Amino acid sequence: VSGINKNETRVIALGIFCCLMYPVLHYTSGVSWTTVIATILLMVFTIGATIYIHYPLHQTDLMSADLASVARIMARFKNQYRQWLHIVCPIVITPWLAWFSYDYSETMGLLGNSRWIVVGFFLFCGFIGFLIGYFWHRKTVNLAQDVIRQIEDK
């Protein structure tokens, strides 16, 4: 369970860092305030959802609670985490990445840079970010599954 909590801490810390850095991005590269505010709202939503999904784990003493309730809490946690990947990524993150790429490429295009290079760079970075996020996601789901499996074995 400590691995699950470590992942929660990473997501929250990264989200807070991004919320602080996006206004700097406006001043350094000229990304519109609309994009910056939308991105900060997306980060706040992500932090809130992460806290909401992990909340039952913090409210229950997993070591002293009965195994049936721990298994139920872990199964719910695992299900919510899976839904996060299958719903939020395609519906929220993909359109945001397209919008951010467009806005940033417009800004960079005005400075004489090729828009396709900028968009390609964002797609590449988005793919790398997806791989890192998917790795964290799989690790957390597998840890939850391990807890459920240990309970079922007892």
Side-chain angles (χ1 to χ4, degrees), residues 9-134:
T9 304
R10 271 190 227 145
V11 170
I12 292 171
L14 186 62
I16 291 170
F17 175 76
C18 289
C19 285
L20 296 173
M21 291 307 297
Y22 281 120
V24 173
L25 187 63
H26 168 75
Y27 291 113
T28 59
S29 63
V31 174
S32 72
W33 276 113
T34 306
T35 303
V36 169
I37 291 169
T39 303
I40 290 172
L41 290 175
L42 177 66
M43 286 296 131
V44 169
F45 172 73
T46 301
I47 291 168
T50 300
I51 291 169
Y52 174 78
I53 290 171
H54 285 83
Y55 183 75
L57 298 179
H58 296 299
Q59 293 301 346
T60 306
D61 183 13
L62 299 178
M63 296 301 175
S64 63
D66 65 296
L67 295 178
S69 64
V70 172
R72 191 174 356 97
I73 290 169
M74 292 306 291
R76 181 172 179 238
F77 170 80
K78 181 181 153 192
N79 187 34
Q80 286 177 328
Y81 227 77
R82 280 194 174 165
Q83 288 175 350
W84 177 259
L85 178 71
H86 293 109
I87 295 171
V88 173
C89 281
I91 294 174
V92 176
I93 294 175
T94 303
W96 170 84
L97 184 62
W99 178 23
F100 193 82
S101 297
Y102 174 78
D103 189 42
Y104 198 78
S105 69
E106 283 291 311
T107 303
M108 291 292 110
L110 295 175
L111 298 175
N113 298 324
S114 171
R115 290 183 176 148
W116 291 109
I117 291 174
V118 174
V119 170
F121 174 74
F122 273 104
L123 291 177
F124 175 74
C125 290
F127 180 71
I128 297 298
F130 175 78
L131 290 179
I132 292 169
Y134 186 73

Side-chain angles (χ1 to χ4, degrees), residues 132-149:
I132 292 169
Y134 186 73
F135 172 75
W136 285 357
H137 173 80
R138 288 298 318 150
K139 186 176 178 183
T140 303
V141 169
N142 288 340
L143 287 170
Q145 183 60 42
D146 289 345
V147 171
I148 293 169
R149 195 174 299 119

